[in-house]
Amino acid sequence: MSTHKSYVLKNLFALELNAKLTVKYKNIPSAEKIATDIRVSSDYKLDPHGQTVRKWLKGETFPDLVNLAHLVDWLDLNMIHVFETFKYLNRDNDGYRRMSDYCNVSVEDIKNLEMILLKIKISNPGLP
């Protein structure tokens, strides 16, 4: 998978994860709290580190299948939506245009938002 496609998939997963955590908690708790809750909800079979959870929330990494299966069950993640959106956005090399169509905003707005998000991540490394 190309780097761009991997980036898109990880960020789509992060969007879904953050959305479901918002539903569950109203406000997304710290990565450490989420890691603890994953441990408890898995009857201590899983033991993700807070840093790992933080990377999932930021779209920097994708969980392994065991953690992913638990997250899907625990938070009712809609991975079909994630993969269908990924498939739609990556049908060809014009991902910005497809994302623009999907979100009903201009390509320029998508690029500007991406730059803003990147600046926020850089200036606030502790944010999910």
Side-chain angles (χ1 to χ4, degrees), residues 10 13-14 17 21 30-32 34-35 38-39 46-64 67-68 71 128:
K10 288 185 282 190
F13 171 76
L17 179 61
L21 287 167
S30 71
E32 293 297 330
I34 296 167
I38 291 170
R39 280 184 214 100
L46 301 176
D47 190 20
H49 294 279
Q51 182 64 28
T52 301
V53 173
R54 195 171 295 110
K55 288 180 179 182
W56 296 342
L57 293 169
K58 290 181 176 184
E60 294 175 3
T61 61
F62 197 81
D64 63 31
N67 282 297
L68 178 61
L71 291 169

Side-chain angles (χ1 to χ4, degrees), residues 1-70:
M1 183 181 310
S2 75
T3 303
H4 172 72
K5 287 183 179 182
S6 175
Y7 171 83
V8 170
L9 182 58
K10 288 185 282 190
N11 279 279
L12 287 170
F13 171 76
L15 287 171
E16 177 70 7
L17 179 61
N18 280 279
K20 293 299 183 164
L21 287 167
T22 300
V23 169
K24 183 171 185 63
Y25 293 100
K26 304 300 180 231
N27 292 311
I28 298 174
S30 71
E32 293 297 330
K33 165 78 170 132
I34 296 167
T36 299
D37 289 354
I38 291 170
R39 280 184 214 100
V40 172
S41 65
S42 70
D43 295 325
Y44 298 91
K45 293 176 186 152
L46 301 176
D47 190 20
H49 294 279
Q51 182 64 28
T52 301
V53 173
R54 195 171 295 110
K55 288 180 179 182
W56 296 342
L57 293 169
K58 290 181 176 184
E60 294 175 3
T61 61
F62 197 81
D64 63 31
L65 289 177
V66 173
N67 282 297
L68 178 61
H70 180 74

Side-chain angles (χ1 to χ4, degrees), residues 29-128:
S30 71
E32 293 297 330
K33 165 78 170 132
I34 296 167
T36 299
D37 289 354
I38 291 170
R39 280 184 214 100
V40 172
S41 65
S42 70
D43 295 325
Y44 298 91
K45 293 176 186 152
L46 301 176
D47 190 20
H49 294 279
Q51 182 64 28
T52 301
V53 173
R54 195 171 295 110
K55 288 180 179 182
W56 296 342
L57 293 169
K58 290 181 176 184
E60 294 175 3
T61 61
F62 197 81
D64 63 31
L65 289 177
V66 173
N67 282 297
L68 178 61
H70 180 74
L71 291 169
V72 166
D73 184 51
W74 180 53
L75 295 171
D76 195 29
L77 295 181
N78 186 346
M79 294 308 294
I80 292 171
H81 174 72
V82 170
F83 287 114
E84 286 296 321
T85 304
F86 174 76
K87 187 170 119 180
Y88 176 78
L89 294 175
N90 287 289
R91 235 182 264 166
D92 58 33
N93 292 328
D94 195 8
Y96 282 114
R97 184 181 58 76
R98 293 211 179 272
M99 192 176 293
S100 167
D101 292 345
Y102 183 78
C103 298
N104 197 28
V105 296
S106 73
V107 170
E108 188 170 312
D109 286 343
I110 295 282
K111 290 180 178 180
N112 287 339
L113 179 59
E114 186 175 53
M115 291 304 299
I116 290 167
L117 291 173
L118 181 61
K119 287 177 185 176
I120 290 171
K121 275 187 175 181
I122 291 169
S123 61
N124 298 290
L127 287 178

